[in-house]
């Protein structure tokens, strides 16, 4: 019975949001589109018009690489970050997942594990033992979420440079990448998206 009441409340909220010029985060500039993919896109940071993937496609094969980095950074004494606003250090465990719809026809892998390990290490060495304030400048808040996207972008860039993404008839890697940075066993952030 509780499940039915909860569902009624959720549906009522969706109807209210769809009929009002508002969102769950406050007043919206325009009436939101009221179909699931638009709502999901908006919740994932898109505008609902297809600028962000609405969901990860079904990709049953995954290869993951784990590494770590030690960094220093600050949030430039921004009061929103409390005591973390000043200069401090962090050690991140970094997981990078490569997901694919199918295995390479000859090698039966998602991606060459050696090449994937090397790519992850090459991206991470740009940040390891460095002060991220020096790497990105004083205007950038190098949150864990921001760093997930930076690592993701670095991996996609290397994949493109090495022509490992869907070149011609031979597909060396085609799929989805997810980067997770673990601050501790209690806190982590992720960024994911298509490799192309």
């Amino acid at each position: 019975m509780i499940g039915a009441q909860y569902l009624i409340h959720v549906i009522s909220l969706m109807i209210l949001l769809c009929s009002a010029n508002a969102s769950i985060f406050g007043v919206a500039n325009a009436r939101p589109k009221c179909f699931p993919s638009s709502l999901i896109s908006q919740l994932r940071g898109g505008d609902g018009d297809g600028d962000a993937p609405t969901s990860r496609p079904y990709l049953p094969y995954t290869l993951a690489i784990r590494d770590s980095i030690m960094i220093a950074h600050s949030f430039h004494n921004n009061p929103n970050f409390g005591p973390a606003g000043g200069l401090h250090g962090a050690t991140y465990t970094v997981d990078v997942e490569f997901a694919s719809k199918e295995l390479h026809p000859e090698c039966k892998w998602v991606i060459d594990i050696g090449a994937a390990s090397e790519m992850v290490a090459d991206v991470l060495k740009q940040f390891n033992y460095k002060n991220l304030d020096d790497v990105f400048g004083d205007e950038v808040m190098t949150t864990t979420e921001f760093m997930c996207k930076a690592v993701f972008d670095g991996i996609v860039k290397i994949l493109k440079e090495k022509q490992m993404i869907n070149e011609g008839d031979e597909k060396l890697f085609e799929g989805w990448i997810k980067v997770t940075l673990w601050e501790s066993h209690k806190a982590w952030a992720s960024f994911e998206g298509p490799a192309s």
Side-chain angles (χ1 to χ4, degrees):
M1 199 62 167
I2 293 175
Q5 290 175 341
Y6 175 76
L7 184 58
I8 290 169
H9 288 294
V10 169
I11 291 170
S12 298
L13 178 62
M14 289 184 75
I15 290 169
L16 177 66
L17 289 174
C18 289
S19 62
N21 190 20
S23 75
I24 58 173
F25 304 109
V27 176
N29 291 333
R31 184 177 169 177
K33 294 183 174 110
C34 295
F35 52 90
S37 64
S38 173
L39 181 60
I40 293 168
S41 177
Q42 290 173 11
L43 292 174
R44 288 185 151 222
D47 65 6
D49 291 329
D51 73 329
T54 56
S55 64
R56 178 180 175 166
Y58 176 66
L59 301 169
Y61 298 101
T62 303
L63 174 80
I65 302 296
R66 176 166 282 179
D67 207 331
S68 64
I69 55 174
M70 292 185 269
I71 57 95
H73 69 152
S74 75
F75 296 116
H76 317 293
N77 295 313
N78 184 311
N80 291 317
F81 292 94
L87 185 64
H88 62 279
T91 300
Y92 292 119
T93 299
V94 181
D95 289 334
V96 179
E97 297 177 43
F98 298 85
S100 182
K101 182 177 175 182
E102 54 194 30
L103 297 177
H104 185 278
E106 180 184 345
C107 300
K108 304 299 182 207
W109 61 33
V110 170
I111 187 171
D112 177 339
I113 194 169
S117 295
E118 187 178 304
M119 279 187 292
V120 171
D122 286 347
V123 170
L124 296 182
K125 74 181 174 185
Q126 300 170 50
F127 312 121
N128 201 21
Y129 296 112
K130 298 203 173 134
N131 182 340
L132 299 181
D133 295 350
D134 297 335
V135 175
F136 292 100
D138 290 335
E139 302 301 315
V140 177
M141 300 295 185
T142 53
T143 61
T144 305
E145 298 88 336
F146 172 87
M147 289 305 299
C148 288
K149 177 73 163 68
V151 172
F152 174 89
D153 289 343
I155 290 168
V156 169
K157 180 181 177 196
I158 290 174
L159 279 169
K160 288 180 179 177
E161 288 171 357
K162 293 188 175 201
Q163 299 180 343
M164 295 183 74
I165 300 177
N166 196 12
E167 287 295 317
D169 293 333
E170 186 175 1
K171 297 177 182 175
L172 295 172
F173 179 72
E174 181 177 33
W176 196 268
I177 298 171
K178 179 178 180 181
V179 175
T180 303
L181 270 63
W182 298 83
E183 294 190 51
S184 71
H185 66 285
K186 293 191 208 179
W188 63 92
S190 297
F191 182 87
E192 61 183 295
S196 52

